[in-house]
Amino acid sequence: MRVAVQEAPFDLGAVSRDFAAGATGAGAVVTFTGVVRGDGGMAAMEIEHYPGMTEKAIAAIAAQAVDRWSLVDALVIHRHGRLAVGEAIMMVATAAPHRADAFAAAEFLMDYLKSRAPFWKKEIGPDGAAWVAAKDEDEAALTRW
């Protein structure tokens, strides 16, 4: 299991390939990458976090996913800093003996990252900047877990 909170971009292809290559015993590998959308003329997003605390919180939930779905491996990468429209914000990868567990664990991790991971996001657009508020549908997604 690996958790990385970083400012630098990552190579989705290389990370996915390396993750799958190291997932010995997996019958399924699932990856998901979140990308900055350009909704409403948004030009960029700024993501802030508390170093140390953020990694610890994500590692705890990733460990929970590994145990709950008997994962062979899990990976979470989340970026911070200023990100332009189209740039990758985050990536989740899960590996399990069977696809249902790999998909469920990936969705669990994505729902957690969207709603509970300690990040603060600001959207920057033509009219200035605004903090992103929590959404009811994101909170509701956590109730299924």
Side-chain angles (χ1 to χ4, degrees):
M1 182 185 81
R2 184 171 78 94
V3 171
V5 177
Q6 62 192 49
E7 191 167 0
F10 55 90
D11 182 331
L12 175 61
V15 172
S16 297
R17 183 181 59 248
D18 292 347
F19 178 81
T24 305
V29 173
V30 170
T31 64
F32 172 84
T33 304
V35 178
V36 178
R37 293 187 304 262
D39 295 348
M42 185 175 73
M45 177 177 280
E46 287 184 5
I47 301 173
E48 297 179 9
H49 76 294
Y50 286 119
M53 182 183 88
T54 302
E55 293 87 346
K56 184 177 178 179
I58 296 171
I61 203 70
Q64 189 178 51
V66 168
D67 290 343
R68 184 171 177 179
W69 284 281
S70 301
L71 299 180
V72 171
D73 202 0
L75 166 70
V76 177
I77 300 172
H78 203 296
R79 294 183 59 205
H80 63 89
R82 187 179 180 106
L83 301 158
V85 170
E87 284 191 77
I89 299 172
M90 54 75 67
M91 175 186 179
V92 166
T94 57
H98 304 286
R99 67 181 170 165
D101 288 338
F103 274 110
E107 284 191 283
F108 170 77
L109 289 168
M110 291 178 295
D111 285 345
Y112 171 81
L113 289 169
K114 186 76 172 170
S115 301
R116 291 286 195 275
F119 289 102
W120 295 268
K121 300 173 183 175
K122 188 187 311 180
E123 293 179 346
I124 302 163
D127 298 327
W131 292 103
V132 177
K135 296 179 183 173
D136 291 338
E137 60 267 22
D138 293 334
E139 289 296 317
L142 288 175
T143 62
R144 65 185 171 146
W145 306 114

